[in-house]
Amino acid sequence: SHLVIIKGTSAYRGSETGHQDIDAGTLLQMMGRAGRPGFDKSGTAVIMTDSLSKRRYENISQGLKVVESHLMDDDKLTEGLNTEISQGVIASVEEAVDWVKGTFLYRRIHSHPLFYGFNGRGDDALHSFVVDKCTSSIDKLRKIRAITMKEDSTFVPNAACHIMSRNFVDFDTMKAIVKIPHDSGPVQLLRMLASCAKVQTQVRRNEKKHLNAAYKLVKYKLEGPQSKIRIQNADEKAFVMLQSAIGQHFFQDYPLRQQMSSMIDGASQILSAIEQYAREGSFNGQVATQGMIFRRSLYSSLWDS
């Protein structure tokens, strides 16, 4: 489209966090939709915000605000290194350090060291800082058996490494997949899926009534006295909505129906990774079968009898 109108610069993230500003990267991506290559020579983006935030968004839109790297957020570095290890690009800590030195992150550490927790001075200190970060990330992969260390300090990828990479699974989810008990059934898989960030969305105040009503109809229940259970957080919401999708429960609330579709996609992606790891990594036929049955139930909106 030629014109993009951004109606507000904050979004409600649930009762726990309230309204939060849209991050600069997302805002710039939305603005980038203005103007069709090959059809328009220019595009127009209109940002609707409050007067106190006007200067901030003017700076962002004009490229005057500095953008920082997020490669060190959460386990992003671990996930990035895992992908390169899976592709055969990285096989040692030294190669991991060289890879990081070619990223935007490394340039920003030079310019804004304190933002990334670097307090040293000089190239040697920065090199040691990057080595420590890479070593920590590689050790995390070792602990979930994504890689195997060799005697010469190099490493090779295992099944978990390749599965995590090709299924776009985040580190915490892959760690949970590796820990799935060998005797898991649908309830255990359901609880594991509900705990994954890829499936979760925050509970909004106006959704609680619909979710509590749906909970009364689902097949599996949360632990605790049933008369006192109220859906309050993201994992409880996912627990209910995934079952509602299979049980064909219709939500009157349109945003909930949209979220359900996204949850099904995310859960199916994780279930595919569970099946692959059970076949190639843990060699567990029961988990592979249960994962396949659960994924089929999501697609068919019908519990397996």
Side-chain angles (χ1 to χ4, degrees), residues 167 169 173 177 189-190 192-200 238-239 241-243 245-246 259-275 291-292 294-299:
N167 288 282
V169 173
T173 298
I177 291 173
L189 291 183
L190 175 62
M192 178 267 169
L193 289 170
S195 70
C196 295
K198 197 179 192 73
V199 178
Q200 295 179 348
F239 185 86
M241 291 191 66
L242 288 174
Q243 293 191 79
I246 298 174
Q259 292 171 40
M260 181 184 285
S261 177
S262 177
M263 284 183 178
I264 292 171
D265 291 340
S268 298
Q269 193 173 9
I270 295 169
L271 286 166
S272 179
I274 289 173
E275 291 175 54
M292 180 193 68
F294 203 117
R295 189 155 57 94
R296 186 173 64 189
S297 295
L298 280 173
Y299 281 125

Side-chain angles (χ1 to χ4, degrees), residues 226-244:
Q226 296 302 304
S227 61
K228 296 183 179 180
I229 288 178
R230 298 292 183 272
I231 307 305
Q232 301 287 344
N233 53 47
D235 58 329
E236 292 172 347
K237 177 179 177 179
F239 185 86
V240 172
M241 291 191 66
L242 288 174
Q243 293 191 79
S244 296

